[in-house]
Amino acid sequence: MVLTTFEMLKRPRRNRLKASIRHLAQECTLTANDLVAPLFLIPGEKKRELIDEMPGIERYSVDCLVKEAEILHAQGIPAIDLFPAIDPFIKDHEGSEAWNPQGLVPTAIRELKQEVPSMCVIADIALDPYTSHGHDGIVNDREEVDNDLTLEALVRQSLVYADAGCDILAPSDMMDGRVKVIREALDSHGFQNVGILSYCAKYASAFYAPFRGAIQTNLAFGDKATYQMNPSNIREAIREALLDEEEGADMLMVKPALPYLDVISKIKEKTTLPVGAYHVSGEYAMIMAAHEKGLLDAQKTLFESLIGIKRAGADFIFTYAINQILDLLN
Ligand code: PBG
């Protein structure tokens, strides 16, 4: 039976009639200003190499990375996040290259501050790019990641990055108490203005696999389930978020993003801090792989993924889809 007009006063389609009306009715937006570009560093000069596991994404030597950052910033990207792929022979059990002031990340930070001073430089705090075993912390003889020993190493790494001029440190290690010790160390060394963006809810995720290829690390044993979170849990994520806020975090982040939209939305309700989300390597790579097979359109699906993450409540998004989104926005 067909309804008469009289019977149907409410027609949601009126708000979708044409693009101009759809614009007015649009509830959230995605702009270049919402995006953080994770960038990968390699040693050497004038070097760029494509990453097999992440179509379209490259590793850069410091000079090339600075140029790339300049281009991104000129297009409205406010911040980048640095990850190093260091030579395997420099890696050791403790990850001691993490606090070498002449290391790849501190060197890049100094150059970036010189050449692109208005860009926000974020650096990941964790030991996995630097340890021979690939874990995020210091491992004891029972093959466990030792929380409190790792905190000392993270503080050293944080102070070296802060001294190089890093704007925001992003601890991604998931050790207990790290935000507090990093905050205290920064403050007692005169780095009161260096911020902490805590990966408060970082899940033990299979979606990180392409990233491990990008920084050329592999777990020598075990997995990360004793420090990263169980994908089944949300109340635990809220607990982690509130603890990090209490310990002095300036911003919080959920990672990965799409399988955890409920976590983003719930944490957003529970905290007054800005909440970000990390659309991780696997989330990017699976869309790119499907695109390469002709199964879907990468640009459209990446945009839809990111707008969904914003709709869930994310204030900013770390993503590898920067170029596709910039193309679409322009
Ligand atoms: C390391 C770190 C990881 C990512 C960011 N920081 C990998 C991991 O925890 O194993 C993953 C990012 C991505 O997949 O894009 N602490």
Side-chain angles (χ1 to χ4, degrees):
M1 192 199 83
V2 178
L3 292 171
T4 69
T5 314
F6 176 73
E7 285 166 312
M8 191 162 52
L9 293 173
K10 295 179 181 171
R11 290 176 176 269
R13 286 187 61 194
R14 275 197 289 266
N15 286 347
R16 301 179 209 134
L17 263 178
K18 45 184 160 186
S20 52
I21 297 175
R22 288 195 294 273
H23 285 314
L24 297 181
Q26 182 160 326
E27 296 175 38
C28 78
T29 51
L30 185 69
T31 72
N33 272 302
D34 300 317
L35 306 179
V36 177
L39 297 178
F40 297 101
L41 280 161
I42 42 171
E45 252 179 83
K46 294 200 175 68
K47 277 182 145 175
R48 304 170 64 133
E49 53 188 41
L50 280 165
I51 298 168
D52 293 339
E53 296 83 350
M54 300 175 66
I57 304 297
E58 293 174 80
R59 304 182 191 90
Y60 305 94
S61 56
V62 172
D63 52 331
C64 293
L65 183 129
V66 171
K67 287 202 193 96
E68 183 64 17
E70 264 171 321
I71 294 168
L72 293 175
H73 195 41
Q75 295 179 91
I77 301 296
I80 57 169
D81 180 32
L82 298 174
F83 292 102
I86 71 170
D87 286 328
F89 64 85
I90 303 180
K91 299 186 184 188
D92 61 21
H93 198 71
E94 275 76 46
S96 58
E97 178 66 10
W99 51 91
N100 173 4
Q102 305 314 323
L104 262 185
V105 171
T107 305
I109 296 172
R110 284 190 292 269
E111 287 284 318
L112 285 161
K113 287 289 112 184
Q114 199 80 39
E115 303 299 325
V116 211
S118 62
M119 179 171 242
C120 168
V121 178
I122 304 174
D124 200 80
I125 297 295
L127 302 181
D128 58 321
Y130 302 105
T131 52
S132 42
H133 44 69
H135 278 286
D136 290 29
I138 294 183
V139 172
N140 66 22
D141 3 325
R142 292 186 304 277
E143 294 197 341
E144 300 157 346
V145 173
D146 185 301
N147 194 85
D148 298 13
L149 270 183
T150 301
L151 292 185
E152 287 175 33
L154 297 174
V155 162
R156 286 187 186 177
Q157 181 183 23
S158 298
L159 289 175
V160 167
Y161 289 11
D163 190 54
C166 197
D167 295 292
I168 296 180
L169 303 174
S172 73
D173 55 286
M174 291 302 280
M175 296 302 114
D176 292 335
R178 85 262 213 229
V179 173
K180 179 167 188 280
V181 294
I182 293 171
R183 185 70 268 158
E184 285 172 355
L186 289 173
D187 289 355
S188 66
H189 287 77
F191 299 121
Q192 286 86 351
N193 287 336
V194 175
I196 299 178
L197 190 182
S198 167
Y199 289 67
C200 65
K202 177 170 177 178
Y203 287 89
S205 174
F207 286 100
Y208 306 149
F211 171 91
R212 293 186 189 153
I215 66 162
Q216 292 164 332
T217 174
N218 253 320
L219 281 182
F221 51 84
D223 56 32
K224 299 194 177 186
T226 70
Y227 45 106
Q228 299 180 347
M229 286 181 37
N230 178 344
S232 312
N233 297 353
I234 183 165
R235 294 171 64 246
E236 186 184 356
I238 295 159
R239 183 173 186 223
E240 284 279 8
L242 296 179
L243 274 174
D244 286 358
E245 176 164 9
E246 210 174 281
E247 290 182 25
D250 301 288
M251 300 183 184
L252 302 175
M253 188 149 69
V254 174
K255 173 184 178 183
L258 282 190
Y260 301 95
L261 294 182
D262 56 331
V263 180
I264 298 170
S265 137
K266 203 40 147 251
I267 288 181
K268 191 69 184 285
E269 274 171 28
K270 300 278 181 184
T271 178
T272 53
L273 296 179
V275 177
Y278 200 138
H279 182 246
V280 302
S281 56
E283 297 178 87
Y284 171 79
M286 66 183 178
I287 288 180
M288 295 306 286
H291 175 86
E292 285 176 0
K293 283 192 99 177
L295 300 179
L296 47 71
D297 179 288
Q299 195 176 45
K300 288 181 182 156
T301 43
L302 287 166
F303 184 84
E304 187 177 332
S305 301
L306 299 193
I307 200 79
I309 295 164
K310 279 215 75 187
R311 193 193 62 243
D315 297 301
F316 57 90
I317 307 171
F318 283 46
T319 180
Y320 303 100
I322 298 278
N323 286 324
Q324 291 89 338
I325 301 299
L326 285 176
D327 280 351
L328 198 79
L329 293 177
N330 299 328

